Amino acid sequence: MADTTSITAAAIPDVAQEAGGVWGFSRAQLVGLGILLVFLVVAPFVLYPVFLMKLYCFALFACAFNLLIGYVGLLSFGHAAYFGMGGYLAGHAAKVWGLTPELSIIIGGVTAGLLGVLAGWIAIRRQGIYFAMITLALAQMVYFFCVQAPFTGGEDGIQAIPRGNLFGVIPLDRDLSMYWVVAAVFLAGFLLVHRIIHSPYGQVLKSIRENEPRATSLGYRTDDYKLLAFILSATLAGVAGATKSIVFGIATLTDVHWSMSGEVVLMTLVGGLGTIFGPVVGAAVIVTMQNYLAEMGAWVTVIQGVIFVACVLAFRRGLIGELAALLKVKL
Amino acid sequence: MDEIFGIPAPLLFGQLLLGLINGAFYAMLSLGLAVIFGLLNIVNMAHGAQFMMGAFAAWMLLAWGGIGYWWALLLAPIIVGITGVILEKLFISRLYKLDHLYGLLLTFGLALIIEGVFRNEFGSSGLPYRIPPELSGAWDLGFMFMPVYRGWVVVAALVLCITTWLLIEKTRLGAYLRAATENAALVQAFGVNVPRMVTLTYGAGVALAAVGGVLAAPIYSVNPQMGSNLIIVVFAVVVIGGMGSILGSILTGFALGIVEGLTKVFWPEASATVIFVIMAIVLLARPAGLFGRK
């Protein structure tokens, strides 16, 4: 087992930090960021804003997931729990407690984070595939909780969640107003993930991914680092779920189901594990695909399965990872 | 003895029996997972889908070929096992040099494909599979009525598990298997065709899942999702037992089924989550699992 490379090491081209970067962004990443910013501003006038908002929610979800798999090497197969719980709590806060959308989203994120404290504390005791199985099992527990708990509305979910007024003053009923909020939340989350992985803390995370016993021998309490990464990831996933339920006015069991956990793995895998733009591109690909193939019913599942298999067998770097390798840059 | 702890005895024993049956499936599936994991070092996420394929194979044999339960019990695992061998040859064998997580992702993708195809073909609602006439009816045990088929499932699962365990622990073939689990390269150096053994082991593990599927077909309705929810519980069972031990996974499987059945009696709302809670407690107390070595 010792000589197997970590799941992301194969996906990341070994490129040293380039000179001329700003805030930890390499030159290529700055170009990518520029394209992303232009897209965020121009897209709502060209594409359907509700579709874009869905995309950003999933992109943020995938970025949160990527923080764990890409930079700590931990495969969580239960991230739907945090995404879905964030959605439920935000929906409950906005509808029943009548809170403003930004507070609801914060509550969703904090709840998911607290759930992450508990789940992470249990799950980080094991590595590798056991970690994946434990997170999957814990997420299934959350799913059953959501099926039974009265506030989630069971099979119906929480419906008719009001978008409300941002800070209590700016109404978000128009899709375009809501769009800017979602875009801002997404961008903030994206930059936060980038900041985390380029901080000294993030460097330690990467060293844990590469060789955990060595990091331990250097005096790092690796469990603490892993737990914090898990909590951060869960919180961001919760924020993504919370934003989604505010946008669509509905929070349902679909978002806590294990198939959602599988979807976020797929998005990140397609885009490229351990790349900062990979999850965003992967989410865009998968969400677009689901949008166009929605009438095909169960074939969507089959196609997703085929993409999974193809990615694992032939395409482990993902779209952005391949592009980065091709251009010999870091993305 | 009409009441035990204030619970009517028939209810208690009825749930215990249900728990034992669930436990039988947990044991069979976690056994297959443990066998596959031992040699291949991958978590077979497609195990639930292959369990479902076993049930569907039995249904298809009956509906399309007029082949009854007893032949299905033999043929369905062989058919599903062969598909497993093909999957291993085509896909899984390419991943042994990589991180084990890729095996997990690949088999998850395979599970999605299998489930999706079956859902397209047969829809989401279940198909009925009749209990074979030899096993219909019920025994009066004095304190409860025991459907013959349910008793049969428990006995069959026990026999199957113990046979597998004996095969691995007591035979020459099992010795090769255990040796290859420890050090595949060394066993290969002794002239054993390890890649073929790996392929056949995967096929055998998959066939075990399929036997479970055939046994389950008359109890649960045969539907494409029947495996996926079960398999997540089985993962928890595997984490609790630790994948290192064959006997451990059998014992844990049965024991947790019974615990789940008892929970249904005393605190029904918690019955869906009790195994996961136990998993969390075991991880806090013994991170390697009850029978784990590491």
Side-chain angles (χ1 to χ4, degrees), chain A residues 123-330:
Chain A
I124 53 162
R125 281 151 207 272
R126 301 300 300 271
Q127 284 106 15
I129 49 170
Y130 281 99
F131 183 86
M133 287 196 288
I134 292 163
T135 46
L136 175 59
L138 291 173
Q140 188 75 350
M141 189 159 105
V142 172
Y143 174 77
F144 282 125
F145 170 78
C146 291
V147 171
Q148 292 176 344
F151 83 95
T152 60
E155 297 284 335
D156 299 331
I158 305 177
Q159 294 181 358
I161 300 165
R163 280 186 186 172
N165 301 331
L166 186 69
F167 306 122
V169 284
I170 308 166
L172 295 177
D173 295 324
R174 277 182 59 231
D175 283 339
L176 207 56
S177 339
M178 187 78 227
Y179 174 87
W180 297 115
V181 176
V182 178
V185 169
F186 161 69
L187 193 64
F190 176 81
L191 291 175
L192 179 66
V193 170
H194 178 79
R195 187 70 196 88
I196 292 169
I197 57 187
H198 286 87
S199 67
Y201 165 74
Q203 300 300 324
V204 178
L205 287 184
K206 279 181 239 173
S207 80
I208 294 173
R209 175 189 75 195
E210 294 309 320
N211 193 334
E212 187 173 349
R214 203 166 191 175
T216 312
S217 79
L218 286 172
Y220 293 108
R221 291 175 192 271
T222 54
D223 277 358
D224 294 356
Y225 283 84
K226 287 197 284 189
L227 181 58
L228 184 56
F230 196 91
I231 296 167
L232 287 168
S233 174
T235 308
L236 281 172
V239 169
T243 313
K244 179 169 173 274
S245 67
I246 296 289
V247 170
F248 290 94
I250 185 165
T252 61
L253 286 172
T254 321
D255 290 348
V256 260
H257 194 246
W258 58 263
S259 49
M260 183 60 76
S261 300
E263 256 170 46
V264 74
V265 179
L266 183 62
M267 288 172 188
T268 315
L269 189 64
V270 166
L273 302 171
T275 60
I276 62 166
F277 293 105
V280 182
V281 173
V285 170
I286 300 297
V287 172
T288 310
M289 188 195 86
Q290 285 171 342
N291 231 34
Y292 281 103
L293 302 181
E295 317 89 71
M296 293 181 68
W299 286 115
V300 177
T301 319
V302 178
I303 294 167
Q304 285 184 342
V306 171
I307 299 175
F308 245 113
V309 171
C311 280
V312 171
L313 286 177
F315 198 53
R316 282 185 285 277
R317 287 169 175 161
L319 289 168
I320 292 298
E322 293 288 345
L323 184 68
L326 201 69
L327 302 174
K328 295 194 170 58
V329 293
K330 203 173 156 187

Side-chain angles (χ1 to χ4, degrees), chain A residues 1 5 7 77 125-126 129-130 133-134 136-137 140-141 148 258 265 299 301-302 305-306 308 312-313 316, chain B residues 37 43 91 98-102 104-105 109 113 116-117 119-120 228 232 235 243 269 276 283-284 287-288:
Chain A
M1 271 196 233
T5 52
I7 188 155
F77 226 98
R125 281 151 207 272
R126 301 300 300 271
I129 49 170
Y130 281 99
M133 287 196 288
I134 292 163
L136 175 59
Q140 188 75 350
M141 189 159 105
Q148 292 176 344
W258 58 263
V265 179
W299 286 115
T301 319
V302 178
V306 171
F308 245 113
V312 171
L313 286 177
R316 282 185 285 277
Chain B
F37 179 76
V43 181
F91 303 122
L98 299 168
D99 191 293
H100 305 325
L101 290 177
Y102 282 117
L104 190 152
L105 295 177
I113 296 174
V117 167
R119 212 162 60 224
N120 275 308
S228 55
I232 299 178
F235 284 148
M243 267 197 292
E269 295 80 15
F276 303 119
L283 279 170
L284 295 179

Side-chain angles (χ1 to χ4, degrees), chain B residues 211-234:
Chain B
V211 179
V214 180
L215 286 173
I219 297 184
Y220 310 115
S221 72
V222 178
N223 73 73
Q225 294 91 21
M226 66 191 287
S228 55
N229 288 325
L230 187 63
I231 201 66
I232 299 178
V233 181
V234 173

